[in-house]
Amino acid sequence: MMSVIEELDVKKNEALQTTWVKVNRDFGSIFSTLLPGTSAKLEPVSEGGESVLEGLEVKVAFGKVWKETLTELSGGQRSLLALSLILALLLFKPAPMYILDEVDAALDLSHTQNIGAMLRTHFSHSQFIVVSLKEGMFNNANVIFRTKFVDGVSTVARTLGNGPQLKQLQQQKQQQQATSSSSAVEPAEPKGAKDKDGGQRKRGKTTKKAAADRENAEPEMVA
């Protein structure tokens, strides 16, 4: 019985260690994408810094200076930090679809655009439905659904965005059009032009033959 318990403890520690390594790597990568020039990590609270069983602590650095506490961060920076940690956990086992509801409410335009760029690079195999009121998020969308009130009735308008998937489809369409136009059959030349050229070539051959006959003929004797 004790051997089984020890074996389960070993497997548990290995699973926690593997999860911590991957989540910690993705956490730092996502946060540095959302807030360029920064670093973030999950550090064990134990003195040795190797065991994750006693808990993890969030550390943030601006440049090469690590902050002592998270209270030194602004509200927007803490929002990005929390979003980075949540997405890093979700990235451990990605889902096919996610729904985000106004995660950029406390952010300015540049940080909102960084969220769209981060979703494109880190979650390329997942689909996101994002509710937002800021234009910065729409720049990375493939399809946009805009809602508004018209005469007291809520209406929805669907438009195409400027996301990378749409640009890729447009490039493929342009390449297909260029390929189809280049492979089209060129119009045949007029029949008269061919006959005329052929006649010229025929007369040229006759003239050369006559000149050769004159050279081979015996010279005439003049009395």
Side-chain angles (χ1 to χ4, degrees), residues 57-72:
E57 184 179 5
V58 177
K59 291 289 187 179
V60 178
F62 287 80
K64 296 182 179 180
V65 180
W66 292 92
K67 299 294 184 181
E68 294 294 334
T69 63
L70 299 182
T71 56
E72 300 181 31

Side-chain angles (χ1 to χ4, degrees), residues 8 10 26 61 69 83 91-92 128 135 160 190 215:
L8 292 176
V10 171
D26 294 334
T69 63
L83 180 63
L91 195 59
F92 182 72
F128 277 81
E135 292 290 337
L160 296 178
E215 290 177 0

Side-chain angles (χ1 to χ4, degrees), residues 40-216:
K41 63 180 179 179
L42 298 173
E43 189 177 70
V45 297
S46 59
E47 295 181 358
E50 296 180 358
S51 176
V52 300
L53 298 179
E54 297 181 7
L56 297 171
E57 184 179 5
V58 177
K59 291 289 187 179
V60 178
F62 287 80
K64 296 182 179 180
V65 180
W66 292 92
K67 299 294 184 181
E68 294 294 334
T69 63
L70 299 182
T71 56
E72 300 181 31
L73 305 180
S74 64
Q77 292 170 347
R78 279 181 282 183
S79 298
L80 293 175
L81 187 66
L83 180 63
S84 301
L85 181 57
I86 293 173
L87 292 177
L89 293 172
L90 295 176
L91 195 59
F92 182 72
K93 288 186 178 180
M97 178 180 293
Y98 298 95
I99 300 177
L100 302 179
D101 186 9
E102 295 191 39
V103 295
D104 57 346
L107 306 177
D108 56 18
L109 181 60
S110 61
H111 293 154
T112 301
Q113 293 176 344
N114 291 339
I115 292 178
M118 181 273 300
L119 296 179
R120 185 176 68 246
T121 55
H122 289 79
F123 293 85
S124 58
H125 300 290
S126 300
Q127 182 179 6
F128 277 81
I129 299 176
V130 182
V131 180
S132 177
L133 300 176
K134 298 185 178 181
E135 292 290 337
M137 187 68 71
F138 306 153
N139 296 335
N140 294 279
N142 296 318
V143 180
I144 302 174
F145 293 90
R146 301 179 185 271
T147 61
K148 62 180 179 179
F149 283 102
V150 178
D151 298 331
V153 180
S154 179
T155 60
V156 179
R158 180 182 184 274
T159 58
L160 296 178
N162 298 321
Q165 184 177 358
L166 179 63
K167 293 180 180 179
Q168 184 177 4
L169 292 176
Q170 291 176 349
Q171 292 176 355
Q172 291 178 355
K173 186 176 180 181
Q174 293 176 357
Q175 292 176 356
Q176 291 176 356
Q177 292 177 350
T179 304
S180 60
S181 61
S182 62
S183 61
V185 180
E186 297 181 356
E189 296 181 356
K191 186 176 180 180
K194 285 186 175 182
D195 293 341
K196 184 176 179 181
D197 294 341
Q200 290 177 352
R201 287 194 296 269
K202 185 176 181 180
R203 285 194 296 272
K205 291 180 179 179
T206 305
T207 304
K208 291 179 180 179
K209 183 178 180 181
D213 293 341
R214 286 196 299 269
E215 290 177 0
N216 295 330

